[in-house]
Amino acid sequence: MPVLPLIDLMLLSGWTALLVGFVLKVIHLTTSYRPAIVGLTPIDFLLMGVAAMLFAIALAARTWVKTQEPTAAAIRRRDETLEAWNALKGQETEAAAAAVAADVIATGTSGGNDAPGS
């Protein structure tokens, strides 16, 4: 699905924003320096991280709901059933061909016209 890389990117950016905010907050608590990156404080990074993660969850939920649609699920089940049926028929055909080959080996006949002089 083409949406999965976007979900991964949103999760990565959310965790990165939380990590940067955590580092800024640790610096803020342990020193008298009040750090800000491009004017963004630790709470701003927290809000960005939360927003990115909520967006990723919303995308994942939307994708999941789309796959659970009745029409799409029915089409998927139909396709899976047809694939299983074709695979089963293929195995039966292979088994029949193997039985014919074993009969030919056992009897020495090909099942064709075995009359002398032909």
Side-chain angles (χ1 to χ4, degrees), residues 22-99:
F22 177 74
V23 169
L24 289 178
K25 189 63 175 179
V26 167
I27 293 171
H28 177 82
L29 291 174
T30 57
T31 65
S32 61
Y33 179 65
R34 302 298 175 241
I37 298 176
V38 193
L40 300 173
T41 61
I43 192 75
D44 297 328
F45 282 102
L46 173 69
L47 294 175
M48 285 190 297
V50 168
M53 288 189 181
L54 285 175
F55 184 65
I57 290 170
L59 276 176
R62 181 174 166 82
T63 304
W64 181 81
V65 167
K66 184 68 176 168
T67 62
Q68 300 304 315
E69 238 176 25
T71 305
I75 291 170
R76 186 173 56 248
R77 277 194 310 271
R78 181 197 65 196
D79 293 342
E80 290 170 355
T81 303
L82 287 175
E83 287 175 17
W85 176 258
N86 290 335
L88 182 62
K89 282 297 187 183
Q91 288 175 354
E92 288 177 2
T93 305
E94 291 172 7

